[in-house]
Amino acid sequence: MDLTSRPPRSPRVRLGGYVILPRMLDKGRAQLAGKNGEYHYNCPLDQRFLEFTGIDPEALLAELKAGKGDGEILEWINGHAKVGHGEWTIAAWSRMQEERVPSSIEIRDYMNELQRKTAPVRTDIAGWFDLLDVDDFVSFGGKA
């Protein structure tokens, strides 16, 4: 995984119903390869998944280091999550994450500043996933 030449998967991509997880796995694999570029494993977005499942980020990184694929990682997560969530709970949590917007004026100002740098003319960016997707696209040569 080389995140110096392409972005990780969108936070919207799901694995086992979980948003964020495939992106986090990409970042973890890239970190292990020394090819994470501007991306950070166990960032605040990743921590939302980790808190929801109760998975330890270092334990997950050790599983990635063992060379496990996405399916094997999901199986490991399902066996090690501190709280067993059913598919309906996972779906509701994932939907909530997709729709998450800044929760305060200060955070909204921060998000607006990031958008001004990345996609100042776009009026369709409402939430964090929107901003991450456009930032990934622009960072690798796309035009907002």
Side-chain angles (χ1 to χ4, degrees), residues 39-104:
Y39 296 95
H40 302 283
Y41 174 77
N42 196 19
C43 70
L45 180 67
D46 298 348
Q47 290 169 12
R48 290 186 166 277
F49 169 80
L50 295 165
E51 289 169 12
F52 180 67
T53 59
I55 295 292
D56 176 68
E58 294 307 314
L60 178 55
L61 200 58
E63 296 300 310
L64 290 172
K65 189 174 186 177
K68 292 185 178 180
D70 284 0
E72 294 169 304
I73 292 292
L74 179 61
E75 187 177 315
W76 181 86
I77 287 168
N78 289 336
H80 289 83
K82 303 275 188 275
V83 180
H85 296 294
E87 68 181 81
W88 291 101
T89 305
I90 294 168
W93 177 83
S94 289
R95 189 170 48 257
M96 182 182 76
Q97 296 307 311
E98 286 176 317
E99 297 171 359
R100 198 168 61 81
V101 296
S103 57
S104 70

Short mmCIF file of all heavy atoms in Angstrom, two decimals, residues 39-104:
data_model
loop_
_atom_site.label_atom_id
_atom_site.label_comp_id
_atom_site.label_asym_id
_atom_site.label_seq_id
_atom_site.Cartn_x
_atom_site.Cartn_y
_atom_site.Cartn_z
N TYR A 39 -0.99 10.71 5.32
CA TYR A 39 -2.06 9.99 6.01
C TYR A 39 -1.57 9.39 7.32
O TYR A 39 -0.42 8.96 7.42
CB TYR A 39 -2.64 8.90 5.10
CG TYR A 39 -3.29 9.48 3.88
CD1 TYR A 39 -2.59 9.59 2.69
CD2 TYR A 39 -4.60 9.94 3.92
CE1 TYR A 39 -3.18 10.14 1.56
CE2 TYR A 39 -5.20 10.48 2.81
CZ TYR A 39 -4.48 10.58 1.63
OH TYR A 39 -5.07 11.13 0.52
N HIS A 40 -2.45 9.36 8.31
CA HIS A 40 -2.08 8.90 9.65
C HIS A 40 -3.03 7.81 10.12
O HIS A 40 -4.24 8.01 10.16
CB HIS A 40 -2.10 10.07 10.64
CG HIS A 40 -1.20 11.18 10.24
ND1 HIS A 40 0.16 11.14 10.41
CD2 HIS A 40 -1.46 12.36 9.64
CE1 HIS A 40 0.69 12.25 9.93
NE2 HIS A 40 -0.26 13.01 9.45
N TYR A 41 -2.45 6.69 10.47
CA TYR A 41 -3.20 5.60 11.11
C TYR A 41 -3.54 6.03 12.53
O TYR A 41 -2.76 6.71 13.18
CB TYR A 41 -2.34 4.34 11.12
CG TYR A 41 -2.93 3.18 11.87
CD1 TYR A 41 -3.94 2.42 11.30
CD2 TYR A 41 -2.50 2.86 13.14
CE1 TYR A 41 -4.50 1.35 11.98
CE2 TYR A 41 -3.04 1.79 13.83
CZ TYR A 41 -4.05 1.04 13.25
OH TYR A 41 -4.62 -0.01 13.93
N ASN A 42 -4.71 5.64 13.00
CA ASN A 42 -5.19 5.97 14.35
C ASN A 42 -5.42 7.47 14.53
O ASN A 42 -5.24 8.02 15.61
CB ASN A 42 -4.24 5.42 15.42
CG ASN A 42 -4.88 5.40 16.80
OD1 ASN A 42 -6.10 5.46 16.94
ND2 ASN A 42 -4.05 5.34 17.83
N CYS A 43 -5.85 8.12 13.46
CA CYS A 43 -6.22 9.54 13.51
C CYS A 43 -7.60 9.65 14.19
O CYS A 43 -8.23 8.64 14.49
CB CYS A 43 -6.27 10.12 12.10
SG CYS A 43 -7.66 9.52 11.12
N PRO A 44 -8.10 10.86 14.44
CA PRO A 44 -9.41 10.99 15.08
C PRO A 44 -10.55 10.26 14.35
O PRO A 44 -11.43 9.70 15.01
CB PRO A 44 -9.64 12.51 15.10
CG PRO A 44 -8.25 13.07 15.23
CD PRO A 44 -7.41 12.16 14.35
N LEU A 45 -10.51 10.21 13.02
CA LEU A 45 -11.54 9.47 12.30
C LEU A 45 -11.43 7.98 12.60
O LEU A 45 -12.43 7.32 12.91
CB LEU A 45 -11.41 9.71 10.79
CG LEU A 45 -12.44 8.98 9.93
CD1 LEU A 45 -13.84 9.53 10.18
CD2 LEU A 45 -12.07 9.10 8.46
N ASP A 46 -10.24 7.43 12.55
CA ASP A 46 -10.02 6.01 12.87
C ASP A 46 -10.46 5.71 14.30
O ASP A 46 -11.04 4.65 14.58
CB ASP A 46 -8.54 5.64 12.74
CG ASP A 46 -7.98 5.80 11.34
OD1 ASP A 46 -8.76 5.99 10.39
OD2 ASP A 46 -6.73 5.76 11.21
N GLN A 47 -10.22 6.64 15.20
CA GLN A 47 -10.56 6.43 16.60
C GLN A 47 -12.06 6.29 16.81
O GLN A 47 -12.49 5.61 17.75
CB GLN A 47 -9.99 7.56 17.45
CG GLN A 47 -8.48 7.48 17.54
CD GLN A 47 -7.85 8.71 18.14
OE1 GLN A 47 -8.51 9.56 18.71
NE2 GLN A 47 -6.54 8.80 18.01
N ARG A 48 -12.87 6.85 15.93
CA ARG A 48 -14.32 6.65 16.03
C ARG A 48 -14.66 5.17 15.86
O ARG A 48 -15.47 4.62 16.59
CB ARG A 48 -15.06 7.50 15.00
CG ARG A 48 -15.00 8.97 15.33
CD ARG A 48 -15.86 9.79 14.39
NE ARG A 48 -16.02 11.11 14.93
CZ ARG A 48 -16.91 11.46 15.86
NH1 ARG A 48 -17.75 10.59 16.32
NH2 ARG A 48 -16.97 12.68 16.31
N PHE A 49 -14.03 4.53 14.87
CA PHE A 49 -14.23 3.09 14.68
C PHE A 49 -13.69 2.31 15.86
O PHE A 49 -14.35 1.41 16.39
CB PHE A 49 -13.56 2.62 13.37
CG PHE A 49 -13.52 1.13 13.27
CD1 PHE A 49 -14.64 0.42 12.86
CD2 PHE A 49 -12.38 0.42 13.63
CE1 PHE A 49 -14.61 -0.96 12.80
CE2 PHE A 49 -12.35 -0.96 13.57
CZ PHE A 49 -13.47 -1.65 13.15
N LEU A 50 -12.48 2.63 16.28
CA LEU A 50 -11.83 1.90 17.37
C LEU A 50 -12.64 2.01 18.67
O LEU A 50 -12.79 1.01 19.38
CB LEU A 50 -10.41 2.42 17.56
CG LEU A 50 -9.47 2.17 16.37
CD1 LEU A 50 -8.21 3.02 16.50
CD2 LEU A 50 -9.14 0.69 16.22
N GLU A 51 -13.17 3.18 18.95
CA GLU A 51 -13.99 3.35 20.15
C GLU A 51 -15.30 2.57 20.04
O GLU A 51 -15.75 1.97 21.02
CB GLU A 51 -14.28 4.84 20.38
CG GLU A 51 -13.06 5.61 20.84
CD GLU A 51 -13.28 7.12 20.82
OE1 GLU A 51 -14.42 7.58 20.66
OE2 GLU A 51 -12.26 7.83 20.95
N PHE A 52 -15.91 2.57 18.88
CA PHE A 52 -17.17 1.87 18.67
C PHE A 52 -17.00 0.36 18.88
O PHE A 52 -17.85 -0.29 19.49
CB PHE A 52 -17.72 2.16 17.27
CG PHE A 52 -19.01 1.47 16.96
CD1 PHE A 52 -20.18 1.81 17.63
CD2 PHE A 52 -19.07 0.50 15.98
CE1 PHE A 52 -21.39 1.18 17.34
CE2 PHE A 52 -20.26 -0.14 15.67
CZ PHE A 52 -21.42 0.20 16.35
N THR A 53 -15.90 -0.18 18.41
CA THR A 53 -15.67 -1.62 18.50
C THR A 53 -14.88 -2.04 19.74
O THR A 53 -14.90 -3.21 20.11
CB THR A 53 -14.90 -2.13 17.26
OG1 THR A 53 -13.66 -1.44 17.17
CG2 THR A 53 -15.73 -1.94 16.00
N GLY A 54 -14.16 -1.10 20.33
CA GLY A 54 -13.31 -1.45 21.46
C GLY A 54 -12.03 -2.15 21.05
O GLY A 54 -11.36 -2.79 21.85
N ILE A 55 -11.65 -1.99 19.79
CA ILE A 55 -10.42 -2.61 19.27
C ILE A 55 -9.22 -1.74 19.61
O ILE A 55 -9.27 -0.51 19.46
CB ILE A 55 -10.53 -2.81 17.73
CG1 ILE A 55 -11.63 -3.80 17.38
CG2 ILE A 55 -9.19 -3.21 17.12
CD1 ILE A 55 -11.37 -5.23 17.79
N ASP A 56 -8.16 -2.38 20.05
CA ASP A 56 -6.91 -1.68 20.35
C ASP A 56 -6.17 -1.41 19.04
O ASP A 56 -5.94 -2.34 18.25
CB ASP A 56 -6.04 -2.53 21.27
CG ASP A 56 -4.69 -1.89 21.53
OD1 ASP A 56 -4.65 -0.85 22.20
OD2 ASP A 56 -3.68 -2.43 21.02
N PRO A 57 -5.79 -0.15 18.77
CA PRO A 57 -5.13 0.16 17.49
C PRO A 57 -3.81 -0.57 17.29
O PRO A 57 -3.48 -0.95 16.16
CB PRO A 57 -4.95 1.68 17.53
CG PRO A 57 -5.02 2.05 18.97
CD PRO A 57 -5.92 1.05 19.61
N GLU A 58 -3.06 -0.79 18.34
CA GLU A 58 -1.78 -1.49 18.20
C GLU A 58 -1.99 -2.97 17.92
O GLU A 58 -1.24 -3.58 17.15
CB GLU A 58 -0.91 -1.28 19.44
CG GLU A 58 -0.47 0.17 19.62
CD GLU A 58 0.21 0.76 18.38
OE1 GLU A 58 1.08 0.09 17.78
OE2 GLU A 58 -0.13 1.89 18.00
N ALA A 59 -3.02 -3.56 18.51
CA ALA A 59 -3.33 -4.97 18.24
C ALA A 59 -3.77 -5.13 16.79
O ALA A 59 -3.38 -6.10 16.11
CB ALA A 59 -4.41 -5.46 19.20
N LEU A 60 -4.56 -4.19 16.29
CA LEU A 60 -4.99 -4.24 14.90
C LEU A 60 -3.80 -4.07 13.96
O LEU A 60 -3.67 -4.79 12.96
CB LEU A 60 -6.05 -3.16 14.63
CG LEU A 60 -6.56 -3.06 13.20
CD1 LEU A 60 -7.10 -4.39 12.69
CD2 LEU A 60 -7.64 -1.98 13.11
N LEU A 61 -2.90 -3.17 14.30
CA LEU A 61 -1.71 -2.97 13.49
C LEU A 61 -0.86 -4.25 13.45
O LEU A 61 -0.30 -4.59 12.40
CB LEU A 61 -0.90 -1.79 14.05
CG LEU A 61 0.09 -1.13 13.11
CD1 LEU A 61 -0.58 -0.59 11.86
CD2 LEU A 61 0.81 0.00 13.84
N ALA A 62 -0.79 -4.96 14.54
CA ALA A 62 -0.05 -6.23 14.58
C ALA A 62 -0.68 -7.25 13.63
O ALA A 62 0.04 -8.01 12.97
CB ALA A 62 0.01 -6.77 16.00
N GLU A 63 -1.99 -7.26 13.54
CA GLU A 63 -2.67 -8.17 12.61
C GLU A 63 -2.37 -7.78 11.16
O GLU A 63 -2.17 -8.65 10.32
CB GLU A 63 -4.18 -8.17 12.86
CG GLU A 63 -4.58 -8.71 14.22
CD GLU A 63 -4.14 -10.15 14.45
OE1 GLU A 63 -4.41 -11.00 13.56
OE2 GLU A 63 -3.52 -10.43 15.49
N LEU A 64 -2.33 -6.48 10.90
CA LEU A 64 -1.97 -6.02 9.55
C LEU A 64 -0.53 -6.40 9.23
O LEU A 64 -0.22 -6.81 8.11
CB LEU A 64 -2.16 -4.51 9.44
CG LEU A 64 -3.59 -4.00 9.45
CD1 LEU A 64 -3.62 -2.48 9.53
CD2 LEU A 64 -4.35 -4.49 8.22
N LYS A 65 0.34 -6.28 10.21
CA LYS A 65 1.76 -6.61 10.02
C LYS A 65 1.92 -8.09 9.68
O LYS A 65 2.85 -8.47 8.95
CB LYS A 65 2.56 -6.26 11.28
CG LYS A 65 4.04 -6.36 11.10
CD LYS A 65 4.78 -5.85 12.32
CE LYS A 65 6.27 -5.84 12.06
NZ LYS A 65 7.01 -5.29 13.19
N ALA A 66 1.01 -8.91 10.16
CA ALA A 66 1.05 -10.35 9.87
C ALA A 66 0.63 -10.65 8.42
O ALA A 66 0.67 -11.79 7.99
CB ALA A 66 0.16 -11.11 10.84
N GLY A 67 0.21 -9.60 7.69
CA GLY A 67 -0.11 -9.77 6.28
C GLY A 67 -1.54 -10.20 6.00
O GLY A 67 -1.83 -10.66 4.89
N LYS A 68 -2.43 -10.05 6.95
CA LYS A 68 -3.81 -10.48 6.76
C LYS A 68 -4.54 -9.58 5.78
O LYS A 68 -4.33 -8.37 5.75
CB LYS A 68 -4.55 -10.50 8.10
CG LYS A 68 -4.03 -11.57 9.03
CD LYS A 68 -4.84 -11.65 10.31
CE LYS A 68 -4.30 -12.79 11.18
NZ LYS A 68 -5.07 -12.88 12.42
N GLY A 69 -5.41 -10.18 4.98
CA GLY A 69 -6.26 -9.45 4.05
C GLY A 69 -7.48 -8.87 4.75
O GLY A 69 -7.72 -9.15 5.94
N ASP A 70 -8.26 -8.11 4.02
CA ASP A 70 -9.43 -7.46 4.61
C ASP A 70 -10.39 -8.46 5.26
O ASP A 70 -10.89 -8.21 6.36
CB ASP A 70 -10.19 -6.66 3.56
CG ASP A 70 -9.51 -5.35 3.19
OD1 ASP A 70 -8.43 -5.04 3.74
OD2 ASP A 70 -10.07 -4.63 2.34
N GLY A 71 -10.68 -9.57 4.58
CA GLY A 71 -11.60 -10.56 5.14
C GLY A 71 -11.09 -11.16 6.43
O GLY A 71 -11.85 -11.35 7.38
N GLU A 72 -9.80 -11.46 6.47
CA GLU A 72 -9.20 -12.00 7.69
C GLU A 72 -9.20 -10.98 8.82
O GLU A 72 -9.44 -11.32 9.98
CB GLU A 72 -7.76 -12.44 7.41
CG GLU A 72 -7.65 -13.60 6.45
CD GLU A 72 -6.23 -13.83 6.00
OE1 GLU A 72 -5.61 -12.89 5.46
OE2 GLU A 72 -5.74 -14.97 6.18
N ILE A 73 -8.96 -9.73 8.47
CA ILE A 73 -8.98 -8.66 9.48
C ILE A 73 -10.39 -8.51 10.03
O ILE A 73 -10.59 -8.38 11.25
CB ILE A 73 -8.46 -7.33 8.90
CG1 ILE A 73 -6.97 -7.41 8.60
CG2 ILE A 73 -8.78 -6.16 9.83
CD1 ILE A 73 -6.06 -7.53 9.82
N LEU A 74 -11.39 -8.53 9.16
CA LEU A 74 -12.78 -8.42 9.63
C LEU A 74 -13.12 -9.57 10.57
O LEU A 74 -13.75 -9.36 11.62
CB LEU A 74 -13.74 -8.37 8.45
CG LEU A 74 -15.21 -8.27 8.83
CD1 LEU A 74 -15.49 -7.00 9.63
CD2 LEU A 74 -16.08 -8.33 7.58
N GLU A 75 -12.70 -10.76 10.21
CA GLU A 75 -12.94 -11.93 11.08
C GLU A 75 -12.28 -11.71 12.44
O GLU A 75 -12.87 -12.00 13.49
CB GLU A 75 -12.39 -13.18 10.40
CG GLU A 75 -12.72 -14.46 11.10
CD GLU A 75 -12.22 -15.67 10.33
OE1 GLU A 75 -12.40 -15.71 9.09
OE2 GLU A 75 -11.64 -16.57 10.97
N TRP A 76 -11.06 -11.21 12.43
CA TRP A 76 -10.34 -10.93 13.68
C TRP A 76 -11.09 -9.87 14.49
O TRP A 76 -11.25 -10.01 15.71
CB TRP A 76 -8.91 -10.48 13.37
CG TRP A 76 -8.11 -10.19 14.60
CD1 TRP A 76 -7.40 -11.09 15.34
CD2 TRP A 76 -7.96 -8.92 15.24
NE1 TRP A 76 -6.82 -10.45 16.42
CE2 TRP A 76 -7.15 -9.12 16.37
CE3 TRP A 76 -8.44 -7.65 14.98
CZ2 TRP A 76 -6.80 -8.08 17.24
CZ3 TRP A 76 -8.10 -6.61 15.83
CH2 TRP A 76 -7.28 -6.83 16.95
N ILE A 77 -11.53 -8.80 13.83
CA ILE A 77 -12.27 -7.74 14.53
C ILE A 77 -13.53 -8.31 15.16
O ILE A 77 -13.83 -8.04 16.33
CB ILE A 77 -12.60 -6.58 13.57
CG1 ILE A 77 -11.33 -5.78 13.27
CG2 ILE A 77 -13.69 -5.67 14.14
CD1 ILE A 77 -11.46 -4.80 12.12
N ASN A 78 -14.28 -9.09 14.40
CA ASN A 78 -15.51 -9.67 14.93
C ASN A 78 -15.25 -10.55 16.14
O ASN A 78 -16.08 -10.62 17.04
CB ASN A 78 -16.25 -10.45 13.84
CG ASN A 78 -16.86 -9.53 12.81
OD1 ASN A 78 -17.14 -8.36 13.05
ND2 ASN A 78 -17.08 -10.05 11.60
N GLY A 79 -14.09 -11.20 16.17
CA GLY A 79 -13.74 -12.04 17.31
C GLY A 79 -13.15 -11.29 18.49
O GLY A 79 -13.11 -11.82 19.60
N HIS A 80 -12.67 -10.07 18.27
CA HIS A 80 -11.99 -9.32 19.32
C HIS A 80 -12.68 -8.03 19.76
O HIS A 80 -12.20 -7.37 20.69
CB HIS A 80 -10.55 -9.01 18.89
CG HIS A 80 -9.69 -10.22 18.86
ND1 HIS A 80 -9.67 -11.08 17.78
CD2 HIS A 80 -8.84 -10.74 19.77
CE1 HIS A 80 -8.84 -12.07 18.04
NE2 HIS A 80 -8.32 -11.89 19.23
N ALA A 81 -13.75 -7.67 19.10
CA ALA A 81 -14.46 -6.45 19.49
C ALA A 81 -14.95 -6.59 20.93
O ALA A 81 -15.44 -7.65 21.33
CB ALA A 81 -15.63 -6.19 18.55
N LYS A 82 -14.80 -5.55 21.70
CA LYS A 82 -15.21 -5.56 23.11
C LYS A 82 -16.73 -5.63 23.25
O LYS A 82 -17.25 -6.15 24.20
CB LYS A 82 -14.68 -4.33 23.83
CG LYS A 82 -13.18 -4.17 23.76
CD LYS A 82 -12.50 -4.95 24.84
CE LYS A 82 -11.03 -4.66 24.90
NZ LYS A 82 -10.20 -5.41 24.01
N VAL A 83 -17.40 -5.06 22.28
CA VAL A 83 -18.86 -5.03 22.29
C VAL A 83 -19.33 -5.67 21.00
O VAL A 83 -18.93 -5.25 19.92
CB VAL A 83 -19.38 -3.57 22.37
CG1 VAL A 83 -20.90 -3.55 22.38
CG2 VAL A 83 -18.82 -2.87 23.60
N GLY A 84 -20.16 -6.68 21.12
CA GLY A 84 -20.69 -7.32 19.91
C GLY A 84 -21.86 -6.51 19.36
O GLY A 84 -22.89 -6.40 20.00
N HIS A 85 -21.68 -5.92 18.20
CA HIS A 85 -22.74 -5.14 17.57
C HIS A 85 -23.36 -5.97 16.46
O HIS A 85 -22.64 -6.56 15.65
CB HIS A 85 -22.18 -3.85 16.96
CG HIS A 85 -21.62 -2.90 17.97
ND1 HIS A 85 -22.38 -2.28 18.92
CD2 HIS A 85 -20.34 -2.47 18.17
CE1 HIS A 85 -21.60 -1.50 19.66
NE2 HIS A 85 -20.36 -1.60 19.23
N GLY A 86 -24.68 -5.97 16.41
CA GLY A 86 -25.36 -6.64 15.32
C GLY A 86 -25.34 -5.79 14.06
O GLY A 86 -24.94 -4.62 14.09
N GLU A 87 -25.78 -6.36 12.95
CA GLU A 87 -25.71 -5.65 11.68
C GLU A 87 -26.55 -4.37 11.68
O GLU A 87 -26.18 -3.40 11.04
CB GLU A 87 -26.06 -6.55 10.51
CG GLU A 87 -27.49 -6.99 10.45
CD GLU A 87 -27.75 -7.92 9.28
OE1 GLU A 87 -27.44 -9.11 9.39
OE2 GLU A 87 -28.26 -7.43 8.25
N TRP A 88 -27.66 -4.35 12.40
CA TRP A 88 -28.49 -3.14 12.45
C TRP A 88 -27.78 -2.02 13.20
O TRP A 88 -27.81 -0.86 12.80
CB TRP A 88 -29.84 -3.41 13.10
CG TRP A 88 -30.71 -4.27 12.25
CD1 TRP A 88 -30.93 -5.61 12.40
CD2 TRP A 88 -31.45 -3.87 11.10
NE1 TRP A 88 -31.77 -6.06 11.42
CE2 TRP A 88 -32.11 -5.01 10.61
CE3 TRP A 88 -31.62 -2.66 10.44
CZ2 TRP A 88 -32.92 -4.97 9.47
CZ3 TRP A 88 -32.43 -2.63 9.33
CH2 TRP A 88 -33.07 -3.76 8.85
N THR A 89 -27.10 -2.36 14.26
CA THR A 89 -26.36 -1.36 15.04
C THR A 89 -25.19 -0.83 14.23
O THR A 89 -24.92 0.38 14.21
CB THR A 89 -25.86 -1.97 16.37
OG1 THR A 89 -26.98 -2.52 17.07
CG2 THR A 89 -25.19 -0.93 17.24
N ILE A 90 -24.49 -1.73 13.55
CA ILE A 90 -23.37 -1.32 12.70
C ILE A 90 -23.87 -0.41 11.58
O ILE A 90 -23.26 0.62 11.28
CB ILE A 90 -22.62 -2.54 12.14
CG1 ILE A 90 -21.94 -3.30 13.28
CG2 ILE A 90 -21.60 -2.13 11.08
CD1 ILE A 90 -21.42 -4.67 12.90
N ALA A 91 -24.99 -0.77 10.97
CA ALA A 91 -25.55 0.04 9.88
C ALA A 91 -25.93 1.43 10.38
O ALA A 91 -25.67 2.44 9.71
CB ALA A 91 -26.75 -0.66 9.26
N ALA A 92 -26.56 1.50 11.55
CA ALA A 92 -26.95 2.80 12.11
C ALA A 92 -25.72 3.63 12.45
O ALA A 92 -25.67 4.84 12.17
CB ALA A 92 -27.82 2.60 13.35
N TRP A 93 -24.71 3.01 13.04
CA TRP A 93 -23.48 3.74 13.37
C TRP A 93 -22.81 4.25 12.10
O TRP A 93 -22.38 5.41 12.04
CB TRP A 93 -22.54 2.82 14.15
CG TRP A 93 -21.22 3.46 14.47
CD1 TRP A 93 -20.94 4.29 15.50
CD2 TRP A 93 -20.03 3.35 13.69
NE1 TRP A 93 -19.63 4.70 15.43
CE2 TRP A 93 -19.05 4.14 14.33
CE3 TRP A 93 -19.68 2.65 12.53
CZ2 TRP A 93 -17.74 4.25 13.85
CZ3 TRP A 93 -18.38 2.77 12.05
CH2 TRP A 93 -17.43 3.55 12.71
N SER A 94 -22.73 3.39 11.08
CA SER A 94 -22.10 3.80 9.82
C SER A 94 -22.85 4.94 9.17
O SER A 94 -22.25 5.90 8.67
CB SER A 94 -22.00 2.60 8.87
OG SER A 94 -21.04 1.68 9.33
N ARG A 95 -24.17 4.87 9.18
CA ARG A 95 -24.97 5.96 8.60
C ARG A 95 -24.74 7.26 9.37
O ARG A 95 -24.59 8.33 8.78
CB ARG A 95 -26.46 5.57 8.61
CG ARG A 95 -27.33 6.52 7.84
CD ARG A 95 -28.76 6.00 7.66
NE ARG A 95 -29.37 5.51 8.90
CZ ARG A 95 -29.51 4.22 9.24
NH1 ARG A 95 -29.07 3.27 8.44
NH2 ARG A 95 -30.08 3.89 10.38
N MET A 96 -24.66 7.18 10.68
CA MET A 96 -24.40 8.37 11.50
C MET A 96 -23.04 8.97 11.16
O MET A 96 -22.89 10.19 11.05
CB MET A 96 -24.46 8.02 12.98
CG MET A 96 -24.26 9.20 13.91
SD MET A 96 -24.28 8.73 15.64
CE MET A 96 -22.67 8.00 15.81
N GLN A 97 -22.03 8.12 10.96
CA GLN A 97 -20.70 8.61 10.61
C GLN A 97 -20.71 9.30 9.25
O GLN A 97 -20.07 10.34 9.06
CB GLN A 97 -19.68 7.47 10.62
CG GLN A 97 -19.47 6.84 11.97
CD GLN A 97 -19.15 7.82 13.06
OE1 GLN A 97 -18.28 8.67 12.93
NE2 GLN A 97 -19.86 7.71 14.18
N GLU A 98 -21.43 8.72 8.29
CA GLU A 98 -21.52 9.31 6.95
C GLU A 98 -22.14 10.69 6.97
O GLU A 98 -21.80 11.55 6.17
CB GLU A 98 -22.34 8.41 6.02
CG GLU A 98 -21.65 7.17 5.58
CD GLU A 98 -22.53 6.29 4.74
OE1 GLU A 98 -23.70 6.09 5.08
OE2 GLU A 98 -22.02 5.77 3.74
N GLU A 99 -23.07 10.89 7.88
CA GLU A 99 -23.81 12.16 7.95
C GLU A 99 -23.21 13.16 8.93
O GLU A 99 -23.71 14.28 9.06
CB GLU A 99 -25.26 11.86 8.33
CG GLU A 99 -25.98 11.03 7.28
CD GLU A 99 -27.34 10.53 7.73
OE1 GLU A 99 -27.75 10.81 8.88
OE2 GLU A 99 -27.99 9.84 6.93
N ARG A 100 -22.13 12.78 9.60
CA ARG A 100 -21.55 13.63 10.64
C ARG A 100 -21.03 14.94 10.07
O ARG A 100 -20.34 14.96 9.05
CB ARG A 100 -20.42 12.87 11.34
CG ARG A 100 -20.03 13.42 12.68
CD ARG A 100 -19.13 12.44 13.40
NE ARG A 100 -17.90 12.17 12.67
CZ ARG A 100 -16.84 12.97 12.69
NH1 ARG A 100 -16.85 14.08 13.37
NH2 ARG A 100 -15.75 12.64 12.01
N VAL A 101 -21.39 16.01 10.74
CA VAL A 101 -20.95 17.36 10.37
C VAL A 101 -20.27 17.98 11.59
O VAL A 101 -20.38 17.46 12.70
CB VAL A 101 -22.15 18.24 9.91
CG1 VAL A 101 -22.77 17.67 8.65
CG2 VAL A 101 -23.18 18.38 11.00
N PRO A 102 -19.57 19.09 11.43
CA PRO A 102 -18.94 19.73 12.59
C PRO A 102 -19.95 20.00 13.70
O PRO A 102 -21.08 20.41 13.44
CB PRO A 102 -18.38 21.03 12.01
CG PRO A 102 -18.13 20.70 10.58
CD PRO A 102 -19.27 19.80 10.19
N SER A 103 -19.50 19.79 14.93
CA SER A 103 -20.41 19.86 16.08
C SER A 103 -20.33 21.18 16.85
O SER A 103 -21.00 21.33 17.86
CB SER A 103 -20.12 18.70 17.02
OG SER A 103 -18.76 18.71 17.41
N SER A 104 -19.51 22.11 16.41
CA SER A 104 -19.43 23.41 17.08
C SER A 104 -19.01 24.46 16.05
O SER A 104 -18.53 24.12 14.96
CB SER A 104 -18.41 23.37 18.22
OG SER A 104 -17.09 23.28 17.71
#
